[in-house]
Amino acid sequence: MDSFSSPSSGSSPQFSANEFRDQLKTQLAQAYAEEFLETLRVKCFDKCITKPGSSLSGSESSCISRCMERYIEATSIVSRALFKTPH
Amino acid sequence: MDSSSLNSPELMNFINEEKQRAMVAEMVAKLTSVCWDKCITGTPGSKFSSSESNCLSNCAQRYMDMSIIIMKRFQNS
């Protein structure tokens, strides 16, 4: 596993702190996004696919897109509630 | 990577900042999950009702109040 090795040509395993930082940032962003997608899958499957049929119905897929939008909105409501001055 | 660059204060700052950021992100994600389950009981509509969005916001704040009570209980014992 050498995901932290040099992105350029690979001639040398050494690279700068800046490169390290950029790679770390990218990997963190990917990890956050994957975790969020996984949450969306769990929450929206739970809400929208209550009785899995032989195919995804139109109402199920529109429920899924509404669910994703609402979950994103819920995330911003929660973070606003946490970081606004208390009471 | 030579180890001296790993010890640079700049990099340590960056890592500490990211740690903080991760803690905040984790808390927001956790509270959203908990409060979604509590407040959004029906199928998601095309917009939140005011009672749903108030519930989400109250839920997040009450969770923090509760966390403080739990923390104090164990600090004072």
Side-chain angles (χ1 to χ4, degrees):
Chain A
M1 135 91 187
D2 68 342
S3 55
F4 286 128
S5 64
S6 171
S8 58
S9 77
S11 54
S12 157
Q14 298 212 335
F15 68 132
S16 69
N18 272 349
E19 279 176 281
F20 176 73
R21 197 170 60 185
D22 290 347
Q23 281 204 22
L24 204 57
K25 266 197 161 135
T26 312
Q27 295 204 344
L28 281 169
Q30 271 171 13
Y32 286 136
E34 267 164 39
E35 202 177 304
F36 190 68
L37 290 180
E38 173 59 11
T39 307
L40 284 181
R41 286 192 287 264
V42 170
K43 298 295 181 183
C44 297
F45 191 81
D46 196 43
K47 281 258 183 272
C48 298
I49 320 292
T50 47
K51 276 187 181 163
S54 57
S55 71
L56 203 65
S57 73
S59 66
E60 284 169 336
S61 43
S62 56
C63 177
I64 291 166
S65 52
R66 284 196 306 269
C67 175
M68 294 192 296
E69 281 164 28
R70 292 293 77 69
Y71 202 87
I72 292 165
E73 191 184 345
T75 304
S76 71
I77 291 174
V78 165
S79 62
R80 248 182 290 135
L82 290 184
F83 300 114
K84 79 176 185 199
T85 49
H87 314 292
Chain B
M1 168 155 50
D2 76 79
S3 56
S4 62
S5 66
L6 265 184
N7 293 327
S8 81
E10 221 180 307
L11 200 55
M12 289 314 289
N13 274 345
F14 168 74
I15 287 171
N16 285 329
E17 271 167 30
E18 288 301 322
K19 254 193 212 163
Q20 296 270 317
R21 210 193 294 272
M23 274 171 56
V24 170
E26 199 181 344
M27 192 171 73
V28 170
K30 156 108 192 153
L31 286 185
T32 305
S33 169
V34 167
C35 296
W36 171 268
D37 290 346
K38 247 203 209 320
C39 298
I40 315 301
T41 48
T43 32
S46 53
K47 74 193 283 281
F48 280 138
S49 67
S50 61
S51 70
E52 285 171 325
S53 51
N54 284 337
C55 179
L56 286 169
S57 156
N58 289 337
C59 169
Q61 291 175 346
R62 296 300 78 73
Y63 194 98
M64 295 314 287
D65 291 345
M66 180 198 69
S67 308
I68 292 169
I69 291 174
I70 291 175
M71 204 174 67
K72 279 188 181 148
R73 164 65 182 78
F74 286 94
Q75 276 173 348
N76 296 340
S77 61

